[in-house]
Amino acid sequence: MFDHTFIKTLPVHAGTRSTNAPLTGLLVLDFTHYIAGPLASMLLADLGATVVKIEGPGGDRFRAYPPHDEANPEEGAAYLWANRNKLGIEIDLKHPEGRKLISHLVRRADVLIENFATGVMDRLGLGYASMSAEQPALVYCSISAYGSRGDMANRPGFDSVVQAESGFVSMNGYPDRPGVRTGSSVMDIGTALLASNGILSALYERNLSGKGRRVEVSLYGSALMMAGYATMQTLCSAKSVSRQGNTSADSCPTGVFECRDASFFLHCGSSEIFKRLMTNVLSRQDVADAPCYQSAQGRLKNRDQLFAVLKQEFSRFSWQQLKLLLERAKVPAGEVRDLKSALLSQETQAAELVERIEHPTLGWVPNVRSPISFDGATGAPAKAAPVRGQDTLRVLTEIAQYDEEATAAALASGALHAADPSAATDSE
């Protein structure tokens, strides 16, 4: 259930929003669903691109992910998160009238993004060869679980499965129990970031050559990158890294500690930081100077006794006292918060990262805006993720440039779904 009373306590940000976003004028056709694809296109939309989200009959299945507003079961919170700033149309891609509309849009488009299983777009007549023949300057991005080559190309895959197969799960958790996946869909998010970077690179080249490119990104390839430098450590040593829980195999002291009234994460990534912690924060020059603690290797070897010292010292402080000392000494540390506390925190408020925005049927919905800014401006005010078929009429007339007769014929064909504008809800 949505808590509309709570949502209305969130701020409405207008402030320093720029209307001259860097991708203004770029047209993106978004044939994606779930997370990785929609998030990639949303990143472009946040930067000013006109993104047309093209849903099949019944809409993106990600709409079903909870929680939902009781009266609007198709506008789930997860879907709202990944689809802001887009225009929404619903088309039967197998219908001749639907295919005709796509042809009109492709000839005007700069980018097409899809994340169907390998071969689906080709069977629909919307594959790279067909689309680039209609629009040679098109940048065509395919996102898949395992890529388009090899025996795994046709396998379905989700973030959690790829986390397991890539070795990522084996790295996370405590050594005395099985590995765990992350709660966040980090492989989808990493794939979206890589896809948007690939698209922007292809667009840069197109500005020089006039020709489009096909960009391909897989969740599995992204997962290996998201494993971080552990991949190189494993390849160099021929040994898989071990699970460390909240501690680190590379730096010490690093982990979760307790003070009088809070848990906090401390990361001493160098000997210099360790010495500032012991001298400027805890006034333990004797520990800072102890021969066994002069290197990361020494501190790791003697971690248990060092952690015992820190446990005793930290117990003397409240978090507010300790936080001030850590900040002054430039020792990286932060309170361990739950997600709601983080979203409502002073840091989040200062950066204007959480807000509420208007929605045509829900009134107001929360929004976690893009952290990218240009010249101090945070981009145009966000627009909520579209309801099914919300912008069908606008796309037909303004983007596909259908005349009145063609628009009427398209709507009457049964290939398109257009939302009822009378379903809009007053935001207050």
Side-chain angles (χ1 to χ4, degrees):
M1 286 286 292
F2 281 19
D3 187 333
H4 289 283
T5 301
F6 171 72
I7 291 170
K8 286 186 177 180
T9 68
L10 301 176
V12 178
H13 291 138
T16 57
R17 298 299 177 96
S18 169
T19 57
N20 187 28
L23 298 185
T24 299
L26 198 76
L27 177 60
V28 179
L29 303 184
D30 176 11
F31 291 83
T32 67
H33 48 285
Y34 287 112
I35 302 178
L39 199 62
S41 61
M42 190 187 78
L43 294 171
L44 302 179
D46 286 347
L47 298 176
T50 297
V51 175
V52 179
K53 181 176 179 65
I54 298 167
E55 299 181 77
D60 187 340
R61 292 177 183 175
F62 202 43
R63 290 177 176 275
Y65 279 50
H68 298 89
D69 176 72
E70 188 173 16
N72 295 272
E74 293 184 337
E75 314 305 322
Y79 167 80
L80 293 170
W81 167 73
N83 289 283
R84 66 169 173 255
N85 292 333
K86 301 178 184 180
L87 304 176
I89 65 174
E90 188 172 316
I91 310 178
D92 182 351
L93 296 175
K94 298 178 182 178
H95 193 290
E97 192 66 44
R99 182 64 183 83
K100 176 183 174 183
L101 175 56
I102 296 301
S103 292
H104 277 77
L105 293 174
V106 164
R107 289 195 291 270
R108 293 165 172 80
D110 300 286
V111 177
L112 185 154
I113 310 177
E114 61 90 9
N115 67 339
F116 286 102
T118 300
V120 170
M121 289 292 276
D122 287 319
R123 289 194 293 273
L124 290 169
L126 302 173
Y128 174 64
S130 298
M131 296 296 92
S132 62
E134 291 196 43
Q135 165 58 296
L138 184 70
V139 172
Y140 190 110
C141 179
S142 295
I143 297 172
S144 64
Y146 300 101
S148 61
R149 297 179 297 276
D151 295 338
M152 295 197 300
N154 293 317
R155 286 182 58 197
F158 273 91
D159 180 288
S160 54
V161 175
V162 172
Q163 283 193 39
E165 288 184 318
S166 65
F168 192 84
V169 166
S170 74
M171 298 167 54
N172 297 298
Y174 291 89
D176 61 343
R177 64 197 79 168
V180 296
R181 70 175 180 91
T182 63
S184 171
S185 298
V186 293
M187 301 314 167
D188 283 321
I189 296 168
T191 301
L193 292 167
L194 288 172
S196 60
N197 271 274
I199 290 166
L200 293 174
S201 298
L203 287 170
Y204 177 82
E205 183 191 41
R206 190 190 71 170
N207 286 341
L208 303 175
S209 68
K211 296 180 180 179
R213 277 278 190 119
R214 185 174 190 184
V215 177
E216 293 188 71
V217 185
S218 72
L219 264 69
Y220 187 79
S222 301
L224 291 180
M225 189 203 74
M226 294 290 284
Y229 58 79
T231 55
M232 285 299 290
Q233 290 176 322
T234 298
L235 291 171
C236 288
S237 68
K239 296 179 180 178
S240 292
V241 298
S242 58
R243 290 187 291 281
Q244 300 290 320
N246 282 321
T247 63
S248 169
D250 309 303
S251 62
C252 186
T254 291
V256 174
F257 296 91
E258 305 282 338
C259 57
R260 283 207 307 261
D261 57 357
S263 300
F264 63 96
F265 201 101
L266 174 79
H267 191 130
C268 288
S270 69
S271 294
E272 290 75 17
I273 295 173
F274 167 71
K275 290 182 178 180
R276 292 200 300 270
L277 169 68
M278 301 314 302
T279 57
N280 299 350
V281 177
L282 301 179
S283 301
R284 289 296 303 266
Q285 190 70 48
D286 60 318
V287 178
D289 292 340
C292 62
Y293 298 143
Q294 295 310 297
S295 67
Q297 290 76 16
R299 294 191 296 276
L300 286 165
K301 183 179 179 180
N302 296 281
R303 181 162 57 191
D304 289 347
Q305 68 184 46
L306 177 57
F307 274 38
V309 171
L310 293 175
K311 180 179 179 180
Q312 180 179 358
E313 293 295 333
F314 289 144
S315 68
R316 299 188 289 112
F317 298 92
S318 70
W319 172 240
Q320 287 303 315
Q321 293 171 323
L322 189 57
K323 179 183 177 183
L324 182 61
L325 292 170
L326 291 165
E327 288 176 353
R328 287 176 177 172
K330 299 189 183 304
V331 175
E335 184 180 7
V336 177
R337 299 167 172 155
D338 62 30
L339 187 53
K340 181 179 178 181
S341 298
L343 290 167
L344 300 179
S345 69
Q346 185 177 20
E347 292 88 344
T348 300
Q349 292 177 29
E352 297 187 353
L353 291 171
V354 167
E355 61 188 356
R356 61 182 165 119
I357 56 179
E358 292 182 277
H359 187 278
T361 61
L362 297 172
W364 293 99
V365 294
N367 182 52
V368 181
R369 74 164 184 81
S370 169
I372 302 172
S373 65
F374 296 92
D375 301 322
T378 58
K383 176 177 176 287
V387 302
R388 287 173 48 204
Q390 176 177 310
D391 304 289
T392 297
L393 185 60
R394 178 181 172 186
V395 171
L396 283 169
T397 57
E398 295 182 15
I399 299 178
Q401 298 181 3
Y402 276 28
D403 60 23
E404 186 174 345
E405 182 179 353
T407 298
L411 292 174
S413 71
L416 309 175
H417 166 70
D420 181 359
S422 66
T425 299
D426 187 342
S427 61
E428 292 299 337

